[in-house]
Amino acid sequence: LVGIAVTALLSMFASMMVAETLEGDAQAINLSGSMRMQSYRMANAALLPSQHQNLDNHIAEFQEKIDSPLLTHATQINGNAELEKRLADLHEQWRFLKPLLRADTEGQAGLMEQIDDFVHHIDQFVFALEHSSESKIRLLRALQGITVFIVILVSFFVLYNINQNMAIPLRDLVAQAEQIRQGNFRVVSHYNGADELGLLATSFNEMSAELEALYWDLEQRVKEKTRQLQQSNDSLRILYNASRRLYGAPSDIIGESRSFLSELTELLGLGNLSLCLSTSETGSAYQILTSNGKDKPEFCQAPNCNDCRLSPNKAEFIDSLQEVVSFPIGSHEHYSGELTLEIPAGKQLEEWQRNLLNAFADIIYTTLSLNNLAEQESRLALMEERAVIARELHDSLAQSLSYQKLQAAKLKRLVEKDAEKDQLYSTIRQIQDGLNASYRQLRELLATFRIKIDAPGLEPALIGTVAEYQERCDIQINLDYQLHDCPLSPNEEIHCLQIVREAVSNVVKHSQASQADITLVRTADGNVNIRIADNGIGIPDLPHKTNHYGLSILSERTESLKGGLRIERRPEGGTLVSLTFRPGFMNPSSSINSSQAS
């Protein structure tokens, strides 16, 4: 832009200078042209007598023209020596021609030839003036042409420079910005000029490199976090499935653990896993499971398990392993075995893998504990049920048989004394009646002992019991079961069923009732209340004196439920048996909730 401005200023200054030299050239040419006509007028005035009076005027007029400052200025401003010479020649010839015009007729001979020659010199002067003016005009045109050329050349250079140093770098930066916007941080600007765009390109390249490094680092972090989340998800999935399946079937821990060992081995990506179960820290393992399906791991020294346990590194038993890591299964008080992981050479156990195996070992130990607890509770329930059976046999059949034994001894003494037949027959009938009663009691006890709950829940068993007694007697028995939202344990259900059967049996045997109502509900404080009411003759005032062994059975089962039992006459007639106990799920510390029925 400065070049174009300077060129334009120089062109304007040169044009002004040339135009300044052209000033007066046209007037000088016109004046010179009029001098030719004036020369002929002076010749006519000198040669024709009728024009003599005008001769002086013509001479004065010509003198004024030839002495005009326009001619002098035109020759001086152009700085043309030829013009000055020709103007000087005209003045010289005019000095010669002027006296000739005033001469007499004889002296004017050859005047016209002199005039023609003078006019010829005037023509040459005019031609020189015109040639000078044309030269100035040509110079002005040349200056304008050169100016236009220079402006075009400078403009082309400026446009080329703008394109190379601005347009192309800007397009490059815009394309780079677009690539960066699309996530391509590897694009590089190749413009390295020392101007502002070069600085911007350098900044863009640095920013692109930093973004690429940041993006790559972020991408690696995302991949690492994704991998860790996937590992955590797989770990949680395996632990959840293991806890759900093992806790649901603690007795089948061996079968369920095989598949989880294989899944853990695949997830860890290290070596084989093995599970060794033992009852003590010094004894041999009673069960060994491996993830590869072999009977035992390669480093295992079974049945000399102490050699393996006491070894600081089990990998010393096999050269292909770098390390064998053990995870104990148990607590400080109880040892149940260990979970071992084989680590090949060149690999290392990470913290998340260690945490996963510790958690799985805890699940195995918890499952073993649940299995042991279930077996212990089953034993306790079996022993408790056997104690109840023994008490029932003692309180009913054993006492009846003891009475028959006494009757048999009495019969023996009567026979030895040769007693009368009536007395003997009476004793025999008593023995027969006692035996029949004992047989009925035995059958009732056998029926009671064979009772089991096949269908899930207490209600189906009670419905079956009601149907059984309805077939055996004419008493209308109604069942009102309202314990659908009360999850009783199997042991509690067995006791409740036996209490209801014993109470209904007493109604059938002794009440002489036509209707009995069985109601099972929950009280406002969450306890379970079982009521068996009949419309019979009512219970005697001293029922324990009438060989009511069933009442003692009711009391013992009530004590097993840690409940309260009431047996009383109803004001409207009949007997009411009412049992109230707190279910085990309302008291987690109670063992009833978790006990198993035989």
Side-chain angles (χ1 to χ4, degrees), residues 99-372:
L100 188 60
L101 290 174
R102 294 182 184 276
D104 54 9
T105 304
E106 294 178 356
Q108 292 181 343
L111 178 61
M112 289 302 298
E113 290 81 2
Q114 293 292 332
I115 291 297
D116 289 337
D117 184 60
F118 184 71
V119 171
H120 176 69
H121 283 81
I122 293 174
D123 288 338
Q124 289 182 348
F125 178 72
V126 172
F127 178 74
L129 281 174
E130 291 177 353
H131 180 71
S132 177
S133 297
E134 291 176 356
S135 299
K136 294 175 183 179
I137 293 174
R138 286 195 298 271
L139 177 60
L140 184 59
R141 290 176 180 172
L143 288 174
Q144 292 176 349
I146 292 172
T147 301
V148 172
F149 175 75
I150 292 175
V151 169
I152 292 176
L153 183 63
V154 172
S155 299
F156 175 76
F157 174 76
V158 169
L159 292 176
Y160 177 79
N161 189 40
I162 290 175
N163 182 65
Q164 291 297 117
N165 298 326
M166 291 184 64
I168 293 178
L170 279 176
R171 285 196 296 267
D172 187 32
L173 291 176
V174 170
Q176 184 180 5
E178 181 64 23
Q179 291 293 324
I180 292 176
R181 188 182 68 83
Q182 295 178 0
N184 181 15
F185 302 109
R186 297 184 178 179
V187 61
V188 177
S189 176
H190 301 287
Y191 183 75
N192 53 1
D195 53 5
E196 292 83 355
L197 290 178
L199 177 61
L200 184 60
T202 303
S203 301
F204 253 89
N205 291 337
E206 293 176 356
M207 180 187 69
S208 178
E210 292 178 0
L211 286 176
E212 181 183 7
L214 182 62
Y215 182 79
W216 184 86
D217 181 66
L218 184 61
E219 191 176 32
Q220 296 303 314
R221 290 185 181 181
V222 170
K223 289 181 180 179
E224 180 64 20
K225 288 296 182 182
T226 303
R227 184 183 67 83
Q228 293 177 0
L229 287 175
Q230 185 63 39
Q231 289 175 350
S232 300
N233 183 56
D234 294 339
S235 301
L236 291 175
R237 176 180 56 80
I238 292 178
L239 292 178
Y240 170 74
N241 291 334
S243 60
R244 179 175 58 85
R245 290 167 58 180
L246 291 177
Y247 293 167
S251 59
D252 191 24
I253 184 174
I254 305 301
E256 294 289 349
S257 297
R258 293 183 186 274
S259 60
F260 291 114
L261 289 177
S262 301
E263 290 186 31
L264 284 173
T265 302
E266 182 179 357
L267 176 61
L268 296 174
L270 295 175
N272 293 321
L273 278 170
S274 57
L275 178 63
C276 300
L277 301 179
S278 177
T279 57
S280 65
E281 197 168 357
T282 57
S284 300
Y286 66 86
Q287 184 68 48
I288 299 177
L289 300 177
T290 60
S291 59
N292 56 7
K294 295 183 178 180
D295 294 336
K296 63 179 183 177
E298 297 182 10
F299 63 86
C300 182
Q301 303 297 305
N304 300 320
C305 294
N306 278 333
D307 296 342
C308 184
R309 294 192 189 100
L310 298 177
S311 175
N313 186 8
K314 298 179 178 60
E316 65 181 359
F317 299 114
I318 180 170
D319 297 334
S320 61
L321 297 179
Q322 172 179 319
E323 185 182 4
V324 176
V325 182
S326 299
F327 300 90
I329 299 174
S331 61
H332 298 291
E333 297 82 9
H334 185 70
Y335 176 84
S336 300
E338 61 183 14
L339 179 67
T340 57
L341 172 64
E342 302 174 9
I343 302 179
K347 294 188 177 181
Q348 188 175 4
L349 183 65
E350 298 181 9
E351 188 63 25
W352 71 270
Q353 296 169 329
R354 185 181 299 275
N355 294 334
L356 174 60
L357 292 177
N358 279 322
F360 185 73
D362 291 340
I363 291 176
I364 294 295
Y365 175 67
T366 304
T367 303
L368 291 173
S369 301
L370 289 175
N371 187 38
N372 293 335

Side-chain angles (χ1 to χ4, degrees), residues 522-528 580 582 586:
R522 289 191 70 184
T523 61
D525 54 0
N527 294 332
V528 174
T580 302
R582 191 166 187 81
M586 296 290 292

